[in-house]
Amino acid sequence: MAESVIHVAQVLALLSPSPAPAEELNTQGLADFLRGFFGPLFLVTVSVVALFFLFTREITRFVQFLAITIVIGVIFYVPNIIETLARGIAAALGVT
């Protein structure tokens, strides 16, 4: 009886699919899709708000908004900037 249980276990082990080798998660396609989707939306929103500030003659708010917009644009559209910033902050804090 014990031999038949061992034999069944061996057959099941041979029939079961082996796990696929672990592959790295590739999110480049997702990042490209999100940039392509939110890029035009971001530009339209920035344009409308900038025109509002210009037409109401709020030059100080326009300049502040423009500076913030440039920072946000650089963070989202320069490749690997978030990883570079994270490594720099971690190095400054002494985290390895």
Side-chain angles (χ1 to χ4, degrees):
M1 169 109 170
E3 290 177 6
S4 63
V5 171
I6 292 173
H7 180 67
V8 169
Q10 289 173 344
V11 170
L12 288 176
L14 289 174
L15 293 178
S16 66
S18 62
E23 295 180 10
E24 269 190 51
L25 184 62
N26 185 3
T27 59
Q28 187 60 39
L30 176 63
D32 291 338
F33 169 76
L34 290 175
R35 283 186 185 117
F37 181 76
F38 287 111
L41 187 63
F42 177 72
L43 291 175
V44 167
T45 305
V46 166
S47 301
V48 169
V49 173
L51 286 174
F52 172 77
F53 285 140
L54 284 176
F55 284 135
T56 58
R57 296 184 182 177
E58 296 183 33
I59 302 302
T60 306
R61 285 192 183 186
F62 172 73
V63 172
Q64 290 172 349
F65 177 74
L66 192 62
I68 292 171
T69 302
I70 289 172
V71 169
I72 291 172
V74 166
I75 288 173
F76 283 109
Y77 291 107
V78 173
N80 298 328
I81 193 73
I82 295 174
E83 292 88 356
T84 305
L85 286 174
R87 285 190 194 110
I89 291 170
L93 293 175
V95 178
T96 57

